[in-house]
Amino acid sequence: MPIYFNSAPVDFPFQFDSIGNNWDQEPTMRPNGFPVYHYLQTQEGSGILTIDGQHYTIGENQGVLLAPGIPHAYRSVSGKWITLFATFSGSLSPYFSALFGSSHLLFFENEKAATIRKLIDQAVLHHQETPVDSQLLSQECYQVILQFTGGLQVNPSKQPAWEKYIRPVLASIHTRYMEDLTADALSREVFVTPQYLSRLFSRYLGCSVYEYLTKFRLSKAKELLVSHRGRKIQDIAQDVGYTDASHFVLMFRKMTGMTPSEFRKIN
């Protein structure tokens, strides 16, 4: 039951903040809602969503899009409830409410839900690739959002230097993030200076090598916090390359606005 969190800088218009499928859904209560738009769909079994005092059953091949900040809870009707989900961010996220309308929840079923499931399953597979193609995932995120809105079409294009310099460095970060990586060492791997590599990262990703590495490490930490709930925070810090747990907590809070423990509680 995989779950993945966004590890790319937020400079693409549409991004999956988190995504997963084949998830053995546990009872969830969010008295303050979720901070971003959240889509939840049943794969097997059925669940009950409670919102504004109303109860809604989400059966197989049915899904719901929840607006940010709306208090809600959901649980299995009986037995195992398997779900897929996606949450959404990106540089255009302030305009999502205009795209999705004023309703704080939208339901989808039948062919529409089947299409959304196919798109999310495909994006989950692409999250498993090394390195992750953030531009492709942004495009796939947009295709999911199209199912909610029926809107415009975009076609983000790749730049030639991406394959030659950026992709190999991303591959190193994505497979060795737990090591003591530096911009100097990564630049030597692609036979360029650290300054040139920094300019490339700034041009294509809108951030420095250090910022990308930090964000990727924290995205992996999010995965571990959710999938290994019994593991201590200091152990997870070491798993993602932080020898100092207090520095890990500081960086996590700086990037997410909450501590690792707080993040674990709402996910």
Side-chain angles (χ1 to χ4, degrees), residues 19-25 30 38-49 57-66 74-75 80-88 106-121 144 147-148:
I19 190 171
N21 60 7
N22 301 315
W23 190 258
D24 188 354
Q25 186 64 62
R30 297 192 178 105
H38 175 210
Y39 180 74
L40 179 71
Q41 180 171 320
T42 296
Q43 291 182 238
E44 298 177 23
S46 59
I48 294 178
L49 168 69
T57 300
I58 310 174
E60 291 188 20
N61 208 34
Q62 294 180 328
V64 59
L65 178 69
L66 298 171
Y74 47 80
R75 60 177 175 80
K80 184 170 287 190
W81 181 26
I82 306 299
T83 66
L84 60 86
F85 59 89
T87 62
F88 305 94
L106 297 172
F107 289 95
F108 303 89
E109 58 184 4
N110 301 326
E111 292 183 6
K112 180 71 73 172
T115 298
I116 294 171
R117 176 176 179 174
K118 181 179 179 181
L119 291 169
I120 289 178
D121 287 345
V144 174
Q147 303 306 310
F148 304 147

Side-chain angles (χ1 to χ4, degrees), residues 81-215:
W81 181 26
I82 306 299
T83 66
L84 60 86
F85 59 89
T87 62
F88 305 94
S89 62
S91 61
L92 290 183
S93 60
Y95 305 100
F96 285 178
S97 60
L99 293 173
F100 300 148
S102 58
S103 176
H104 54 239
L105 70 168
L106 297 172
F107 289 95
F108 303 89
E109 58 184 4
N110 301 326
E111 292 183 6
K112 180 71 73 172
T115 298
I116 294 171
R117 176 176 179 174
K118 181 179 179 181
L119 291 169
I120 289 178
D121 287 345
Q122 176 178 273
V124 167
L125 289 176
H126 287 150
H127 271 84
Q128 297 170 6
E129 296 177 353
T130 302
V132 172
D133 189 334
S134 298
Q135 294 188 34
L136 174 62
L137 289 173
S138 177
Q139 191 171 14
E140 291 181 336
C141 180
Y142 181 73
Q143 294 302 317
V144 174
I145 288 176
L146 274 180
Q147 303 306 310
F148 304 147
T149 65
L152 305 173
Q153 294 186 4
V154 289
N155 185 23
S157 59
K158 293 183 179 181
Q159 300 294 328
W162 178 277
E163 296 293 331
K164 187 174 182 180
Y165 300 110
I166 301 298
R167 182 178 287 275
V169 171
L170 295 183
S172 292
I173 291 175
H174 291 195
T175 56
R176 296 161 46 214
Y177 59 89
M178 70 294 295
E179 299 178 12
D180 184 20
L181 296 179
T182 66
D184 286 356
L186 290 167
S187 65
R188 287 195 295 271
E189 292 182 6
V190 289
F191 307 103
V192 296
T193 66
Q195 294 78 15
Y196 182 65
L197 183 63
S198 179
R199 288 198 298 271
L200 289 177
F201 263 70
S202 178
R203 181 192 308 170
Y204 294 120
L205 296 172
C207 68
S208 68
V209 178
Y210 172 77
E211 288 169 339
Y212 187 94
L213 174 61
T214 298
K215 190 174 180 82

